[in-house]
Amino acid sequence: MALLLCLPSKLWIRVSRMLFKGILRAISERLTKIMIYPTWYVKVRRSRQLQSNKMAKTLRAQCLTAIQKLARISAADEYGMVECVSCDKRMHWKECDGGHYIAKGNSSYWSLEMENVHPQCKGCNGFGMKHGSAEGQYTLWMIDMYGEDFVREMHRDKRKIKKLYTADYREMLKEFNDLIRYHEERLQ
C-alpha cells in the first residue's frame, strides 16, 4: 500500500476503482485465484476460464484420430503386433502411427478412407515420408495390396473435394468407434 500512496491522484483513483472492481468480481463470481502483479494491475483467473482454454477437438479431428487407431488395431495380429508398411519393422499397434498414403492435409477426398491409412512406425510416418525413402516403399506396398490401377485412381482423385457435414462426421465416428471396440475385444 505504500507504493499506492506515491501515485498521482488521478492514477490513484483509477487504481483504487480497478482494485475495488476486481475484488468485488472475485467475491461475486467465486473466483479461485487472485494474483496481484505490480500494485496497479490485478489479474483474476477463474477455474472455468482455465477449462475453456482447452479447445475441444472438432468432429473431423476426432474422425481422423479414430481412423488412425482403427487402421492400426485392425492390422494387428492376435498378439497385437503390426508391421510398418514402409520398412517392415514389427511393433505393438499402440507404438506406431496410422500413416496416410495421400496426406490428410492434401486431400479431403481420401483423408477418412480406410484404404488410405495403414500402420507405420513413427520414423517412417514423420521424417521418412518427407525426406526419406518411406514414400516410395509405401507406394510399392500400396500397389502390391490394392493394384496399380487403384493407386493411380487415388492420385487422380486426391484433388477432388468431398464435402462432409456434421451428421456425416458423427455417423463415421460412431462406425469407427464400433469397429475399434470390436478389435479391442478381439485382442483381449
Side-chain angles (χ1 to χ4, degrees):
M1 286 308 251
L3 290 174
L4 289 176
L5 296 175
C6 299
L7 295 173
S9 60
K10 287 183 182 180
L11 189 58
W12 168 251
I13 293 170
R14 190 180 317 149
V15 168
S16 61
R17 283 185 191 156
M18 285 175 52
L19 287 172
F20 184 70
K21 285 180 183 177
I23 292 170
L24 284 179
R25 193 176 301 128
I27 293 169
S28 65
E29 294 178 5
R30 296 180 194 165
L31 300 173
T32 57
K33 212 175 202 183
I34 298 177
M35 295 170 40
I36 300 176
Y37 286 101
T39 52
W40 65 88
Y41 178 72
V42 176
K43 184 174 182 180
V44 181
R45 288 188 188 172
R46 284 183 248 159
S47 59
R48 280 180 266 136
Q49 276 181 333
L50 293 176
Q51 292 171 357
S52 68
N53 287 343
K54 295 179 184 175
M55 297 230 0
K57 277 188 168 183
T58 63
L59 282 173
R60 183 176 191 277
Q62 290 175 14
C63 286
L64 285 169
T65 303
I67 197 170
Q68 290 168 5
K69 183 175 182 179
L70 178 60
R72 294 179 291 138
I73 198 170
S74 64
D77 61 10
E78 63 269 9
Y79 303 109
M81 302 300 283
V82 296
E83 280 188 13
C84 173
V85 296
S86 301
C87 67
D88 296 329
K89 178 181 171 185
R90 282 187 58 80
M91 68 206 96
H92 195 268
W93 71 268
K94 291 181 180 179
E95 297 171 359
C96 65
D97 289 343
H100 285 76
Y101 176 64
I102 305 285
K104 60 188 173 193
N106 291 345
S107 175
S108 65
Y109 190 82
W110 287 107
S111 61
L112 291 170
E113 296 294 329
M114 281 298 297
E115 294 85 7
N116 188 39
V117 185
H118 301 91
Q120 273 189 310
C121 66
K122 295 188 182 294
C124 289
N125 190 31
F127 184 78
M129 287 297 280
K130 294 177 186 170
H131 306 290
S133 63
E135 186 176 7
Q137 295 297 326
Y138 202 160
T139 303
L140 292 174
W141 186 88
M142 289 289 289
I143 290 171
D144 288 343
M145 183 72 172
Y146 297 108
E148 189 174 346
D149 294 336
F150 183 75
V151 173
R152 286 185 193 274
E153 179 186 333
M154 286 181 78
H155 282 285
R156 186 184 69 233
D157 294 343
K158 74 179 179 181
R159 296 287 179 214
K160 283 186 178 177
I161 295 173
K162 186 178 192 179
K163 178 68 176 161
L164 295 172
Y165 297 95
T166 303
D168 299 328
Y169 284 121
R170 285 197 176 113
E171 184 180 318
M172 290 173 82
L173 188 60
K174 183 183 181 310
E175 182 181 325
F176 292 154
N177 286 332
D178 289 343
L179 288 169
I180 288 169
R181 265 186 245 108
Y182 165 75
H183 286 291
E184 283 175 341
E185 290 171 5
R186 175 182 65 90
L187 292 176
Q188 287 181 353

